[in-house]
Amino acid sequence: MSLVHETDYGTPPSLSSELVTLEIDGMSVTVPAGTTVMRAAAELGTKVPKLCATDSLEPFGSCRLCLVEIEGRRGTPASCTTPVEAGMKVKTQTDRLAKLRRGVMELYISDHPLDCLTCAANGDCELQDMAGVVGLRDVRYGYEGENHLKAEKDTSNPYFTFDPAKCIVCSRCVRACEEVQGTFALTIDGRGFASAVSPGGTDFLESECVSCGACVQACPTATLMENSVIEAGQAEHSVITTCAYCGVGCGFKAEMRGTEVVRMVPWKDGAANHGHSCVKGRFAWGYATHKERVLKPMIRAKITDPWQEVSWEEAIGHAASEFKRIQAKYGRDSIGGITSSRCTNEETYLVQKLVRAGFGNNNVDTCARVCHSPTGYGLKTTFGTSAGTQDFDSVMHADVILVIGANPTDAHPVFASRMKKRLREGARLIVADPRRIDLVRTPHVEADFHLQLKPGANVALINAFAHVVVTEGLVAEDFVAERCEPTDTARWRAFIADPRHSPEAVEAVTGVPAADVRAAARLYATGGNAAIYYGLGVTEHSQGSTMVMGMANLAMVTGNIGREGVGVNPLRGQNNVQGSCDMGSFPHEFTGYRHVSDDAVRESFEAVWNVALRGEPGLRIPNMLDAAVDGTFKGLYIQGEDIAQSDPDITHVTAGLAAMECVVIQDIFLNETASFAHVFLPGSSFLEKDGTFTNAERRISMVRKAMPPMAGYADWEATMLLSNALGYRMDYTHPSEIMDEIARLTPTFAGVSFEKIERLGSVQWPCNDQAPEGTPTMHIGGFVRGKGKFAITEFVPTEERSTARYPLILTTGRILSQYNVGAQTRRTENVVWHEEDLLEIHPFDAEHRGIVDGDWVALASRSGETSLRAKITDRVQAGVVYTTFHNPETAANVVTTDFSDWATNCPEYKVTAVQVRRVNHRSDWQDRYAALREETTRIADPAAAAE
Ligand code: SF4
Ligand code: SF4
Ligand code: SF4
Ligand code: FES
């Protein structure tokens, strides 16, 4: 049986609460009103033959294969487009129907290559299945005359092939691109016999296609087919798991032949993605077995020495003895650890446990420090919990969507598709972003407002929104009186009503016309359910935490919190950044965001961990690096992070790393940080281990082992080895035991277990006695902290200002085809879409500097200088330049500064004063770095070493 199309009800479910009873083939069935006859039959286990229908798409009624007879009706209506009616009597199998269906199939097959035995879809082809189902034995029309059998293949897309000779023009691909993905890249060109699928009159690669795979998924034939299946053949089993890229957390079926992945198919029952995917999760999995994977542990005395491959035992023993030596010489606080937002919850938990219990200090931090730590601080302060308030499906109930500092179509594409669907249904859209992101205008979606603010002006803008609400009588008075702390509310209302926060007063700061701000604020406050979605364009500022609180204030004052369709929702970047924060990765918090100074909490951990724990917060990543430069911090264990590329002010980061005596890197590749490491422990990809990831909607989903760890150990096992070598015993035999410990120690996870996640498919925390099956929507009826707290959000401009020397402002972001530091996606075919980071510059600024499109330009700030190619575009406003940070050769973070959020130290990536000038060479820094990289990544030839 096909592994892909195994439960297809033919048409989507009806959401009606009214029930209708009818009879199909003499059997009674009761279904929601609005259900199609085809789906009602499927509920009974009767599969009506079909080709153009599938349950992920609205019925279309073009193939005429699904005909049925209905008592009292003339003709043979299509069951996929006919809704059920009470008392209806339907026949799905009669001689007349059989004959009609055979006739339809005969026409299809007469223009179809009969190469089933050698076709890549053999065994997974609905046309083949239907020919069998309708009993087609003869094809009378043959191939004479006109046909499409010689139509040319389109192999331009690196991941799938379009073979129009096999197309039955069922339009499923076109509709998938429209309804599911929302890109509208495909059309049916021509009419009648000449009609054919076209990616906009060009090839797939040149078209608007974003390679999401929805059309390939929907195609019932081998017309659109994954190249991996064409090359490797059909899979023989599948493993359900979770995407290891972004914070959407899509469920996938890893389709396997033995231990080899054949394809990744989005899981229809995945609650985060409902069977949709983006190019990364769907196709860009080849990195997992890339030839550059490092599969042997390695050690070296100095970073300029070549790496020596050693046994796991030797590498772990060396790391442990070095850490012990350093602590004996420089003190207990001289070492620390960094957890990974790409690893599982269980692995992250073990690393922070190792630091707190094994190292005996709280020097543990995570990459969330540099992305969403202000989310944790801001939402905890105002609402009482450090996470987003809704599930993704909530967006389908939103009437007004406010997107601030996020670029969902690039960074959270599957959620963006859902959001676009809601927008096509009529929800209104406000985008606040310095750059014209795709969402501002995309097929059948146009923002009501694009508030193109200046980088760094977020807080002024959100205060102006709240000012309009408070001064124009738009406050949800009943909600505020019932749900929020009265003293704070009164103080905040007086603060925000001050004329200095009016849209007019801040117009010069924000750069946004006051009239637009007023109109957008009114729309948000009065347009029905209003939901805020935000990203790193909010958090990565010196006032990131203030801005998060500003958005929370706005949601509370308008009553847009505590039900479906509303809320304040961080779009989290990495697959498990929510989880790594939940798991106690910050130096001041245990799991569940409980402070290390809380005696009762600490004692509960001491009892289970059997060790005395410190009550003072440890060092954050920037503090560790500062201390290393100062000579007091000497050893670091980094699991699955690449701080030498991802963290700001790389010169400072690398100086800190270079000053340490033992840096242990655990990763799947020799990343940029490994250039400064002394021990390398081979990591395991998401395909090689069991565990869980927690996505941006607090959803905990299973990650399942599809193949054995290529280097011998999963990451959690390697951490255990290190801990045991250090003398702190860890004896888990499976990650489920680690989750059981987490549940025992963490009230919001008290009801979580692998067994429950297996049973429910996924579960959203809090999950405990009060919410045994989890919590999709937070703060219903009351805030987690009790009463909501309005926080004072004074706008304090960043100290990073444009000057005569650095007159432009640089802001950074992501692109769809690449992921974070690019370590994974750069090792896939995704490079065809984004080979290098480019600097977007406005035509005015380019002309002023004599820069033309494609010129090599220097990008300089007070921190450093790099060089990259220019792309001239009016997506950015004059005075602002923009780039991505996916390539180490560009090293955009050479120029970002050490300014950071006042509350959390989250770096201010989004505002850097820079100068841009035309050059014809790489920067000195890049040359020096390339030389260093060459020197520090050499691996000694084991054969030569043995001689
Ligand atoms: S490419 Fe596939 S889905 Fe699209 S019309 Fe042809 S057969 Fe149908
Ligand atoms: S891959 Fe996605 S974007 Fe491209 S044509 Fe297919 S459905 Fe449309
Ligand atoms: S949207 Fe995110 S989680 Fe989903 S497939 Fe794409 S990268 Fe993976
Ligand atoms: S499946 Fe109903 S008309 Fe094609």
Side-chain angles (χ1 to χ4, degrees), residues 747-946:
T748 44
F749 275 65
V752 179
S753 67
F754 276 33
E755 182 276 323
K756 183 176 284 182
I757 302 170
E758 295 275 4
R759 183 160 42 83
L760 300 179
S762 61
V763 64
Q764 288 171 271
W765 68 260
C767 173
N768 44 30
D769 285 348
Q770 293 77 48
E773 301 214 334
T775 312
T777 306
M778 303 275 298
H779 314 300
I780 297 174
F783 288 99
V784 168
R785 72 184 300 281
K787 296 277 186 188
K789 178 183 174 66
F790 282 99
I792 298 297
T793 53
E794 192 69 66
F795 171 60
V796 181
T798 172
E799 288 174 39
E800 181 73 3
R801 310 268 166 81
S802 51
T803 60
R805 190 158 178 214
Y806 301 114
L808 303 172
I809 294 292
L810 168 74
T811 188
T812 59
R814 298 172 189 225
I815 199 161
L816 171 69
S817 54
Q818 295 289 340
Y819 175 70
N820 208 4
V821 294
Q824 294 142 287
T825 42
R826 280 185 286 108
R827 291 180 170 95
T828 70
E829 302 285 351
N830 278 24
V831 289
V832 304
W833 291 284
H834 185 84
E835 205 178 355
E836 58 184 337
D837 293 322
L838 299 171
L839 186 77
E840 291 187 3
I841 184 167
H842 189 272
F844 174 83
D845 294 322
E847 191 183 347
H848 189 58
R849 290 165 176 75
I851 294 167
V852 299
D853 215 38
D855 265 353
W856 206 241
V857 293
L859 176 68
S861 74
R862 62 183 169 81
S863 290
E865 177 173 320
T866 186
S867 60
L868 66 174
R869 251 189 271 273
K871 179 178 176 183
I872 298 173
T873 172
D874 64 359
R875 261 179 188 257
V876 288
Q877 51 193 296
V880 175
V881 289
Y882 168 91
T883 189
T884 48
F885 54 94
H886 302 302
N887 279 302
E889 293 79 20
T890 315
N893 283 322
V894 168
V895 297
T896 50
T897 68
D898 55 0
F899 284 132
S900 63
D901 175 45
W902 61 271
T904 64
N905 261 173
C906 181
E908 189 166 51
Y909 289 108
K910 302 299 182 190
V911 188
T912 307
V914 293
Q915 178 57 294
V916 176
R917 63 179 200 285
R918 204 168 153 220
V919 289
N920 55 9
H921 54 80
R922 295 196 305 186
S923 69
D924 292 349
W925 190 92
Q926 283 166 305
D927 285 340
R928 279 201 310 277
Y929 194 77
L932 174 81
R933 177 109 182 116
E934 198 174 323
E935 184 175 20
T936 55
T937 54
R938 288 170 299 141
I939 300 176
D941 179 356

Side-chain angles (χ1 to χ4, degrees), residues 36 68 97 105 246 306 372 422 435 470 507 519 543 589 602 690 739 810 859 893:
T36 62
V68 290
L97 292 172
M105 282 306 297
C246 86
H372 266 290
R422 181 63 189 152
R435 183 169 170 265
V470 168
E507 189 174 292
Q543 281 205 291
E589 284 171 340
R602 203 172 58 256
D690 290 313
M739 179 55 86
L810 168 74
L859 176 68
N893 283 322

Side-chain angles (χ1 to χ4, degrees), residues 129-301:
D129 293 348
M130 289 307 124
V133 165
V134 305
L136 186 67
R137 300 288 173 261
D138 276 332
V139 178
R140 284 165 294 167
Y141 311 114
Y143 288 159
E144 311 86 48
E146 253 188 309
N147 60 50
H148 298 89
L149 301 174
K150 296 224 160 44
E152 207 177 318
K153 284 185 192 173
D154 176 352
T155 56
S156 61
N157 186 292
Y159 294 119
F160 60 82
T161 295
F162 175 53
D163 181 359
K166 294 183 171 166
C167 182
I168 58 171
V169 201
C170 66
S171 241
R172 273 162 64 160
C173 54
V174 179
R175 289 179 286 139
C177 193
E178 294 175 3
E179 292 175 29
V180 180
Q181 166 56 25
T183 291
F184 294 76
L186 301 178
T187 52
I188 302 280
D189 279 354
R191 307 184 65 137
F193 179 80
S195 55
V197 172
S198 165
T202 174
D203 64 23
F204 270 86
L205 192 62
E206 292 302 315
S207 73
E208 295 296 311
C209 168
V210 293
S211 213
C212 72
C215 56
V216 182
Q217 178 79 354
C219 182
T221 66
T223 314
L224 284 160
M225 182 55 99
E226 297 90 344
N227 291 344
S228 59
V229 177
I230 294 173
E231 283 153 23
Q234 300 280 324
E236 41 79 18
H237 76 278
S238 66
V239 178
I240 292 171
T241 189
T242 304
C243 180
Y245 278 118
C246 86
V248 178
C250 296
F252 274 89
K253 283 164 74 176
E255 293 199 352
M256 311 288 299
R257 286 170 78 89
T259 56
E260 183 195 349
V261 180
V262 172
R263 66 177 165 187
M264 297 291 285
V265 177
W267 185 35
K268 269 170 105 169
D269 293 333
N273 58 319
H274 302 295
H276 190 34
S277 59
C278 83
V279 61
K280 293 190 283 284
R282 177 75 152 98
F283 295 118
W285 39 266
Y287 73 88
T289 51
H290 194 274
K291 61 180 182 339
E292 286 171 17
R293 280 278 303 262
V294 179
L295 300 175
K296 292 259 173 48
M298 301 187 295
I299 60 173
R300 60 185 172 186

